[in-house]
Each structure stands twice: as C-alpha cells, then as structure tokens.
Amino acid sequence: MRGPLRVPVARVEAGASILDEDASRYVARVHRKRLGDRVVLFDPDRAIEADAEITAIDRASVSVVVEAPRAATFLPARRVTLLQATCKSDKFDAIVRDATELGVSRVVPIVAERSVGRPADGRAARWRRIAVEAARQCGRGDAPAISSPMELGEAVQLFASGEGVFGFCLDPVADAPLGPALRRLGPDVELAFVVGPEGGLSPAEIEACASAGLARVSIGPLTLRAETVCAAVLGAVVLLSR
C-alpha cells in the first residue's frame, strides 16, 4: 500500500515518544528512515493510529513526535470469525495472513479429527505477530484476535452461535450454495465459518456443526485446499459487504 510507512506499536499517544526496540529496528534498519521522515503509528488492538515525525535516531532507538491520535482509517466492514482446522504450520501461517488481509475479526484454530498434529505451545502468539504484520502491509488499522487452539465442539459452542451471529459449516458435498445464503444476510450480521483440515471434516464433526445451528453450505463442485477455502470464502464476504 502506498503512503507513509506504517508501524505497529503497543500504544498511540500524542507527544514525544521513543519507539520500542522492535519498532525502532524496523524503522531505522529495515526501512532506513531518516530524521524528519514521517510514519504512521497504529495500535492494532485498539484500532487507533496517528501521524508521527522522526526526531532522533541512535543505535538502539528511534524518537518521534506523535500528532493527535484518530480512529483507524481502514477497518473491516463487518465482523467475521474464522474457525479454521489446524494444518501444517506453514499453511496455517498463510491462512492467518490471508484472513487478516481479507478482514476477518477473529481466527479460532480448531483441532479436528483429521488435523495434521496439534499446534505447539506458543503458536497462537506467533500467529498474532503474523496477523499484525499482515495488517501493517495491507493498511488495515487493526488485527484479528487469535485464539488458542481448541477442539471443534468447544469452538463451535463458544464462537459460532449467539444473537446476531450466523454460522456456516463449509462442506464440499453440501447441496446449499454459500453465495445465495450470504446475499440474504444483512451487512450488520456477524458471520462465522468453520473450515476443515486437508482431509476435510468428518461426518460426526459436520453433524456437530449442524446440531449447533450452523448452515451446511458449499462453495462449488471443486475440491479446494484448506488454505484456498479461506481466501475464497472471505473474498466473497468482502464483495458482498460493500
């Protein structure tokens, strides 16, 4: 995205400030910014941003003067939760990146029967860092929340039901197509999508989703990779939410 360099920070406040070590390294060493250059600081947790000017650079830190904070300019049009079955780590990294760029509000890694292994401890923190970096790159003013991995049944009950939320279970052999179902929902309805792993959801898992009130839908006759389903579904949501 064109424009001033965007820098994620833990807090955005007007006045003189010193960027933390990671942000300072990113500004001075990675992008080689100089005195007087302008950047945009953004807090991905609170969706706040502000223009800032670099006033000093030394070996370990970058000092800036921050202007008045404002609400982030670019935010997703609606709330969307992605309940994505875990898969190989590099694939899930890509899913988190794509989901962030396509406006998802929350990513819930679920351990399904056919998931390839269980994520290691601390993986959610890594995925959060990936999400923040993806938000920076695409110009988004916030970043999705990343939950700790949980079993599918628990995740569905916690995140894919409730007032004002409509949930879908993606199943390639379902009779109902996703497109018409999305068009019937107003833009204010929060959405939730359950996406299976490489081997798909088991019949028992699909039944569990149906029992929890999720609509069983398909996005077409082709068999897509787990990481492709995310991009296809969220891309449709972006287009239909404008």
Side-chain angles (χ1 to χ4, degrees), residues 170-189:
L170 277 297
D171 179 4
V173 299
D175 294 328
L178 173 62
L182 283 178
R183 294 188 188 97
R184 289 192 294 268
L185 297 173
D188 295 332
V189 177

Side-chain angles (χ1 to χ4, degrees), residues 7 16 61 99 114 142 158 180 189 192 197 199 215:
V7 184
S61 64
R114 298 169 181 168
D142 65 345
L158 285 175
V189 177

